[in-house]
Structure formats: structure tokens, C-alpha cells
Amino acid sequence: MALNKVEICGVNTSKLPILKAEEKEELFRRIKEGDMEARELYIKGNLRLVLSVIKRFQNSNENADDLFQIGCIGLMKAIDNFDTTLNVKFSTYAVPMIIGEIRRYLRDNNSIRVSRSLRDIAYKAIYAKESYMRTHDKEPTIAEIAEEIGIEKEMIVYALDAIQNPVSLFEPVYTEGGDTLYVMDQISDKKNREERWIEDLSLREAMQRLGDRERHIIELRFYEGKTQMEVADEIGISQAQVSRLEKSALKAMKNYLRP
């Protein structure tokens, strides 16, 4: 998918407007009063948000124009459903809506076809989850979703899994202070406890040259197979700090072992 072109769906992305905070507030006030012109201006003022979201899907084979149009549908839904009294930034609310709309489009157009009945179950579960979160301000369990829609838990899990798109281990989760955290940083690897290179004697010697905290992080990550989030909770620092210290420690060990 080419995202380096200037014009998408007839929109010159190099000249997209940027709304100021006071402009957003005023436009939303007018939108709530039924002003369609204000709604149109608010949509145009947030097209950069759509553009930034579809960049996450640049590895897909979908046309950028199509994804941009679908993203705009998600944006419009977000505008129509946004509650200004929740004290939440519009972008915080809108981004998941745009992503969700694009993912639904990709699922429905996936070359790997999922049965209609499974998709229906998955969509019912997703809608039930969204409704529950709006009402209870927390994410429901599978059991609670199952009770709400009257479908067995196992079938819900199976259906939700069937409509998921594969995710790269190197897909960024978020960036904090210049340090990018990837999906692979969130995954436990139990095999490390018995089979991995960390138990080699030379690596143990390299570990002894690390500081106490760095060595402890390496032990938790590669001996015990814990995720960076689990390590962060255990030693009382942020996940970004764990990522930074882990990378630094591995680099130091690599330099020590280099012939």
C-alpha cells in the first residue's frame, strides 16, 4: 500500500487543516446543535488523524484510498458518538474507532474467508463488549460477554480468534521517551527456562559483568520467561525503562562475547 502519495481520495494531504483547541470546542458545540457545516469542518480538521491511523496498515495489500475512505467512516462515527462531558481528548476516543472500522473492513475482505455465522458471533461479542464498557467503564470478561449474548464462552473465543488478522512480532505497541515497545516485548517465552542460550556458561560470565539491576532484568526475562510488563511490575519501574535497560544489557553482553 503506497502512502507516500500526496493526494488520497482527491484530498491533498499536504494541505490538511489543523484545528486549534478553541476551534474544536466551538465546532463541537455547533455540531451538538445540529450544524452540518460545523460537522463537515470538524471532519476536515481531523483527516490527519485518519491518515496517521492508516499508516499502521501500510503492510496490507489494500489500496490507500479505500482504507482512507473506511477510516473517514470511523472518524464520522466517532464524531457522532463522542461525549464531550467525559473529559477525554477526541483523538483518544476516535483512534480506536477508526482502527476498528478499518479492521472490520479488512476482516470482511480477507482472502481467508470466515463463515458468516462465526463473523456474526464475533461481531455480537464485540458490540456487547463495547456496550458493557460504556455502561460499566471497564472491560468485560468472556464469561460476562457470553452471558450477555447467550453464547458459550468457547464459541466466542473461537469466533474472535477466527476474525483476527495476523500481527507482526515487530509491530510497535507504543513509544515512550524515544523507546519503541514491540509486540514481541509483551510475549512470555517459557522455553527460555530450559532451552535457550542464556544458560550457556560464557553467557553467564557475561552476565556477571552487568550491574545488579540489569542482571536481574535479564534473569527475569530469559530465565523465567517473563514479559517486560511483568518485570516492570516486579522491580517497580516503567516498561519503557525495562526495555531500555534490557537492550543496554544485551548490547554489553554481545560486546563481551564478540571475538
Side-chain angles (χ1 to χ4, degrees), residues 56-141:
R56 302 187 185 193
F57 300 89
Q58 60 186 349
N59 292 327
S60 73
N61 294 321
E62 295 295 328
N63 183 279
D65 288 25
D66 292 341
L67 291 189
F68 188 76
Q69 288 182 18
I70 300 301
C72 287
I73 293 173
L75 172 64
M76 287 185 282
K77 287 184 177 180
I79 292 172
D80 293 340
N81 291 283
F82 183 58
D83 185 350
T84 55
T85 65
L86 294 178
N87 198 27
V88 174
K89 282 186 177 181
F90 175 74
S91 59
T92 303
Y93 177 81
V95 166
M97 295 278 285
I98 297 169
I99 291 175
E101 199 68 31
I102 293 174
R103 282 181 174 165
R104 278 191 286 273
Y105 169 79
L106 292 176
R107 285 195 296 263
D108 288 342
N109 290 274
N110 201 314
S111 58
I112 301 175
R113 295 297 175 188
V114 179
S115 71
R116 181 74 253 177
S117 60
L118 271 182
R119 285 208 303 271
D120 287 344
I121 291 173
Y123 293 157
K124 285 180 182 178
I126 291 170
Y127 295 145
K129 176 182 175 181
E130 292 174 350
S131 177
Y132 185 97
M133 290 177 68
R134 284 195 298 270
T135 305
H136 298 85
D137 199 28
K138 66 176 183 177
E139 189 167 329
T141 64

Side-chain angles (χ1 to χ4, degrees), residues 239-254:
Q239 186 177 11
Q241 288 176 296
V242 171
S243 175
R244 194 157 46 238
L245 290 168
E246 178 185 319
K247 290 172 184 175
S248 175
L250 291 175
K251 182 178 180 181
M253 292 171 67
K254 181 180 179 181

Side-chain angles (χ1 to χ4, degrees), residues 106-245:
L106 292 176
R107 285 195 296 263
D108 288 342
N109 290 274
N110 201 314
S111 58
I112 301 175
R113 295 297 175 188
V114 179
S115 71
R116 181 74 253 177
S117 60
L118 271 182
R119 285 208 303 271
D120 287 344
I121 291 173
Y123 293 157
K124 285 180 182 178
I126 291 170
Y127 295 145
K129 176 182 175 181
E130 292 174 350
S131 177
Y132 185 97
M133 290 177 68
R134 284 195 298 270
T135 305
H136 298 85
D137 199 28
K138 66 176 183 177
E139 189 167 329
T141 64
I142 292 296
E144 288 168 330
I145 294 175
E147 182 178 356
E148 176 67 24
I149 64 177
I151 297 175
E152 295 181 354
K153 294 183 292 184
E154 293 77 11
M155 184 57 71
I156 292 174
V157 173
Y158 181 59
L160 290 173
D161 183 64
I163 64 172
Q164 293 301 313
N165 290 318
V167 177
S168 168
L169 288 176
F170 296 97
E171 180 174 327
V173 179
Y174 71 93
T175 300
E176 179 180 308
D179 294 296
T180 302
L181 302 180
Y182 300 93
V183 170
M184 66 181 299
D185 295 327
Q186 315 283 327
I187 301 174
S188 298
D189 188 354
K190 306 304 180 184
K191 292 182 180 179
N192 280 325
R193 297 180 180 180
E194 297 141 4
E195 302 173 6
R196 296 298 181 185
W197 50 266
I198 197 66
E199 296 192 352
D200 184 87
L201 179 59
S202 60
L203 291 172
R204 287 180 177 274
E205 292 176 352
M207 284 182 62
Q208 294 306 313
R209 296 176 175 269
L210 300 176
D212 291 341
R213 186 161 66 166
E214 287 83 356
R215 184 167 60 250
H216 186 42
I217 288 172
I218 295 298
E219 287 171 348
L220 292 174
R221 285 282 285 147
F222 296 99
Y223 271 120
E224 301 184 22
K226 293 189 175 183
T227 67
Q228 288 189 348
M229 184 61 76
E230 290 170 335
V231 174
D233 289 341
E234 181 164 329
I235 64 179
I237 61 176
S238 71
Q239 186 177 11
Q241 288 176 296
V242 171
S243 175
R244 194 157 46 238
L245 290 168

